[in-house]
Amino acid sequence: SGRGAPDAVALVAGGLRVAIVAASRHATIMDGLAQRAADLHEAGAQPLLVRVAGSHELPVVADELARTHDAVIALAVVIRGGTTHLEYVCRAATDWLNRVALDRATPVGFGLLTCDTEAQALDRAGLDGSTEDKGFEAAQAAKETALTLRELRRRARLPPATKPREVSASVVGGRKNREAGVILAQGPLR
């Protein structure tokens, strides 16, 4: 629907290793999603782009990429046909991508479009004339989460007295750490 999506914020993510795994089916839509996901990365630092056949192949490649990258962005589109294919394929891909993120403790940006029509998918692909930009949104979510994890892991190595009480990739109050892309709140946890 596009409603409720967070505003895009510029994130400084020096040194983040980001990979995009993108399905090949529906080339025009996928090219738009992949390009917009790559656009979020800093100028001059292109994320690795790996193409797979379809959404069913995303998890195994995302799992391999999560071993060597700080964030993975998974992109595909499944358009409803005359069978229940969409439900089975999308449920399996979703479940396994979540498992990759949890098992590897690596964020996986979720850009799996499940649409009734090709027109709906085109409208979400971030192309000229599209009303939504799901590739960019998936990349932003993965990058913000990677930055939050980086900060949490860095803070875990500090002595207890210096640890913050709250860490978030969105503005919740306190001071903004632009380099890490997180907010360090000074008050008690809410």
Side-chain angles (χ1 to χ4, degrees), residues 157-190:
R157 293 187 299 268
L158 296 175
T162 62
K163 292 181 183 176
R165 293 187 197 106
E166 184 172 329
V167 177
S168 171
S170 60
V171 177
V172 293
R175 64 180 173 80
K176 175 101 179 178
N177 178 336
R178 284 279 177 206
E179 179 62 27
V182 298
I183 300 302
L184 306 178
Q186 302 303 316
L189 288 176
R190 295 175 202 156

Side-chain angles (χ1 to χ4, degrees), residues 41-54:
H41 215 57
E42 280 86 24
Q46 204 54 21
L48 174 65
L49 173 61
V50 178
R51 292 288 188 155
V52 297

Side-chain angles (χ1 to χ4, degrees), residues 72-75 90 93-95 97-98 108-114 134 137-139 141-142:
V72 177
I73 302 147
L75 305 171
C90 293
T94 299
D95 290 348
L97 288 170
N98 284 329
V108 176
F110 187 76
L112 176 56
L113 301 184
T114 55
K134 297 303 183 183
E137 289 176 22

Side-chain angles (χ1 to χ4, degrees), residues 55-56 78 83-96:
S55 59
H56 191 72
V78 180
T83 67
T84 56
H85 176 78
L86 178 131
E87 286 81 8
Y88 291 111
V89 170
C90 293
R91 172 62 54 98
T94 299
D95 290 348
W96 285 102

Side-chain angles (χ1 to χ4, degrees), residues 2-145:
R3 286 173 272 166
D7 293 333
V9 291
L11 299 173
V12 177
L16 267 190
R17 294 163 300 172
V18 178
I20 300 168
V21 56
S24 298
R25 291 185 175 95
H26 306 288
T28 300
I29 297 162
M30 290 311 307
D31 289 348
L33 290 170
Q35 181 58 54
R36 291 299 294 145
D39 286 349
L40 184 65
H41 215 57
E42 280 86 24
Q46 204 54 21
L48 174 65
L49 173 61
V50 178
R51 292 288 188 155
V52 297
S55 59
H56 191 72
E57 292 75 30
L58 291 175
V60 69
V61 175
D63 185 62
E64 187 62 30
L65 292 167
R67 295 171 189 262
T68 56
H69 290 80
D70 299 306
V72 177
I73 302 147
L75 305 171
V77 60
V78 180
I79 298 173
R80 185 179 308 279
T83 67
T84 56
H85 176 78
L86 178 131
E87 286 81 8
Y88 291 111
V89 170
C90 293
R91 172 62 54 98
T94 299
D95 290 348
W96 285 102
L97 288 170
N98 284 329
R99 180 157 176 196
V100 168
L102 294 171
D103 288 354
R104 299 279 175 221
T106 301
V108 176
F110 187 76
L112 176 56
L113 301 184
T114 55
C115 301
D116 290 324
T117 66
E118 185 174 8
Q120 288 177 341
L122 286 164
D123 205 32
R124 291 162 175 76
L127 300 166
D128 288 337
S130 294
T131 61
E132 297 181 60
D133 195 349
K134 297 303 183 183
F136 188 87
E137 289 176 22
Q140 184 176 12
K143 196 170 180 180
E144 286 178 5
T145 305

